[in-house]
Amino acid sequence: MAVQYSDFTDIDINDFDAVVVGSGFAGAVTAREMAERADMRVLIIEKRAQIGGNMYDEYDEAGILVHRYGPHIFHTNDGRAFNYLRQFSGWIGYQHNVLADWYGTYMPVPFNKNSMEIAFGKERAEHLIEKLIDTFGDERKVTINELREQDDPDLREIADFVYKNVFLYYTQKQWGLTPEEVDPSVTARVPVFISRDNRYFQDQYQGMPVKGYTALFEEMLSHDNIEVCLNTDATSVFDLEFADTSEDAQLSAIKIKGQAFEGPIVYTGPLDELFLARFGRLPYRSLDFVYETYDEEYKLPCGTVNFTVTEDYTRITEFKHMTAQKAPSTTIMKEYSRAYTDPETQIPYYAIINDENNAHYERYRRLTESLPNFHPLGRLAEYRYYNMDKIVGLALDLAREIVDAHNAGAAGASEK
Ligand code: FAD
Ligand code: UDP
């Protein structure tokens, strides 16, 4: 079967047991699980013109499969999440390699033993690598912050080099902040790796869906119990009711088409948007993507090149390396990071994690605590820097809770 699409105006809300806002992995996995494991009828409301959230991919005019919301490489140590996704698609193994363009010379990122030889020359690198191994052990990962805390002059030399040539300019472009100003968990995603392993990730399972992500989402959402309304913004079809009229008044009901909806509502959009930014907007970074097609088989030596010391864009991705597509031409994509200032025209891609913003987010989340059938889930609704595998895992956990409660309720009803 195919995905069942409907116009929101034709929907009778009484036909549904659950409502899901958003069709990225958070929304799609919970929808599928509720539909399949509890026979619940699920309505998905998606504001974009297509399903798949940030994972959406499509063929461009040159016939190259491209990702429209940033390059997405699936990698995980969570066998449950990967096995779950395997039901909906075949997978090709893909090991992502990233090179930093260092004034025209390529060097592996994460910065590793091979990068050290390029940066310092073979002889000096040999000495520095020994120092790293003596201090941290071989085949270990060390964050730039840990490295910068070292007093040893050799280790300081490595730390200064990596800080200035890998992290400083890239982080300023990406976040509008220095590495000291971003949350330590952000730069810790790309540690220095005391190894010859040039791969960006070392996870057990790494790959790409064989026909692309959109095809995987189509398979996941093709279910008799699931209906999808595209081009429908939850903020314009939800009517929120509050306990009182104060600014911090908690949510007491969500009305859809004039009725309080009592089944589970899984919400995967930004929480500040839902509450019409009553406490001010949550800060995010947005991105602009610029595509270029060339009549050459390949333009880059690997999937992604990071521009760590030059250029206005952060990185270039060449999709054919990731998707294994064979074609005489190629499409690359440059990423420009921007401040998120206009929800009408921009997409909030990255939450800017820090104590102040987390507290700001918490204020919004507290408004929802009083409504037990409302479940904020995902990278936007939880204001977190989650990878895809984490979201799949969290969606499976939430779906299990909802399904168990629904099935227990159904069993109770049939006993009466
Ligand atoms: P999303 O995919 O953002 O889905 C949310 C959906 O909700 C969207 O379709 C949106 O349109 C919809 N929505 C929002 N508000 C409303 C509303 N009011 N009404 C109706 N619909 C609404 N992860 C990896 O594991 N590997 C990677 O290589 C990787 N690369 C990334 C690259 C970039 C540039 C970015 C930004 C992220 C990357 N990620 C990667 C992270 C990945 O995108 C997220 O983990 C994933 O998208 C989270 O899924 P989600 O369902 O929570 O959110
Ligand atoms: N980073 C950097 N230089 C690099 C790669 C990463 O400074 O060459 C920093 C930067 O702050 C970035 C963060 O590390 O935002 C996390 O990088 P990652 O590749 O995980 O970012 P994502 O793919 O999520 O955008």
Side-chain angles (χ1 to χ4, degrees), residues 127-353:
H127 172 73
L128 295 175
I129 289 167
E130 253 175 53
K131 208 33 135 359
L132 279 173
I133 295 172
D134 287 348
T135 313
F136 300 104
D138 203 5
E139 297 297 321
R140 302 302 289 268
K141 293 181 175 175
V142 186
T143 68
I144 183 61
N145 289 352
E146 283 173 85
L147 204 54
R148 292 187 81 208
E149 284 163 9
Q150 304 299 314
D151 293 326
D152 178 274
D154 288 336
L155 296 179
R156 283 220 68 90
E157 184 181 341
I158 306 170
D160 284 349
F161 181 90
V162 177
Y163 177 81
K164 284 192 190 117
N165 294 285
V166 179
F167 284 95
L168 180 59
Y169 186 51
Y170 188 101
T171 300
Q172 283 175 326
K173 285 189 282 188
Q174 174 71 8
W175 298 99
L177 298 168
T178 63
E180 291 90 331
E181 290 166 335
V182 299
D183 190 83
S185 63
V186 172
T187 50
R189 288 169 62 92
V190 189
V192 169
F193 191 17
I194 309 168
S195 174
R196 298 270 171 201
D197 183 345
N198 284 340
R199 296 171 306 160
Y200 206 58
F201 312 110
Q202 278 68 41
D203 290 345
Q204 191 179 352
Y205 309 99
Q206 307 192 38
M208 302 292 283
V210 75
K211 292 185 188 156
Y213 288 97
T214 302
L216 182 157
F217 276 88
E218 280 168 351
E219 192 62 33
M220 194 184 282
L221 296 181
S222 295
H223 193 286
D224 281 339
N225 287 343
I226 300 178
E227 210 143 321
V228 181
C229 293
L230 298 175
N231 303 305
T232 308
D233 192 325
T235 56
S236 56
V237 300
F238 279 7
D239 192 1
L240 306 189
E241 305 238 307
F242 294 93
D244 56 63
T245 54
S246 68
E247 200 188 35
D248 280 298
Q250 296 208 310
L251 200 53
S252 57
I254 294 182
K255 283 184 162 178
I256 306 173
K257 295 208 170 196
Q259 300 176 35
F261 190 80
E262 285 173 4
I265 300 175
V266 177
Y267 179 83
T268 75
L271 268 196
D272 56 331
E273 243 177 55
L274 181 68
F275 294 105
L276 308 177
R278 65 161 66 171
F279 306 134
R281 294 214 163 277
L282 286 171
Y284 290 94
R285 292 295 284 180
S286 190
L287 297 169
D288 283 342
F289 302 114
V290 175
Y291 296 85
E292 294 169 10
T293 297
Y294 292 90
D295 278 332
E296 290 169 48
E297 203 179 352
Y298 290 101
K299 195 77 186 158
L300 300 180
C302 60
T304 297
V305 173
N306 285 0
F307 288 80
T308 57
V309 284
T310 58
E311 311 302 341
D312 293 341
Y313 42 83
T314 51
R315 59 187 176 188
I316 305 186
T317 292
E318 183 166 38
F319 295 102
K320 281 171 61 187
H321 288 287
M322 292 162 34
T323 58
Q325 187 182 356
K326 299 280 171 246
S329 60
T330 191
T331 299
I332 62 166
M333 183 181 79
K334 294 177 176 166
E335 282 176 61
Y336 293 85
S337 178
R338 310 280 189 224
Y340 176 65
T341 51
D342 183 6
E344 296 299 316
T345 58
Q346 290 181 305
I347 292 174
Y349 283 108
Y350 294 91
I352 305 175
I353 312 287

Side-chain angles (χ1 to χ4, degrees), residues 22 25-26 46-47 53-54 71-73 233-234 379 386-388:
F25 273 130
E46 169 55 62
K47 75 173 175 188
N54 280 352
H72 279 74
I73 300 108
D233 192 325
R379 186 158 156 131
Y386 284 143
N387 287 336
M388 292 183 278

Side-chain angles (χ1 to χ4, degrees), residues 53-65:
N54 280 352
M55 282 56 69
Y56 176 72
D57 55 14
E58 64 177 355
Y59 288 88
D60 69 5
E61 282 180 1
I64 307 298
L65 184 61

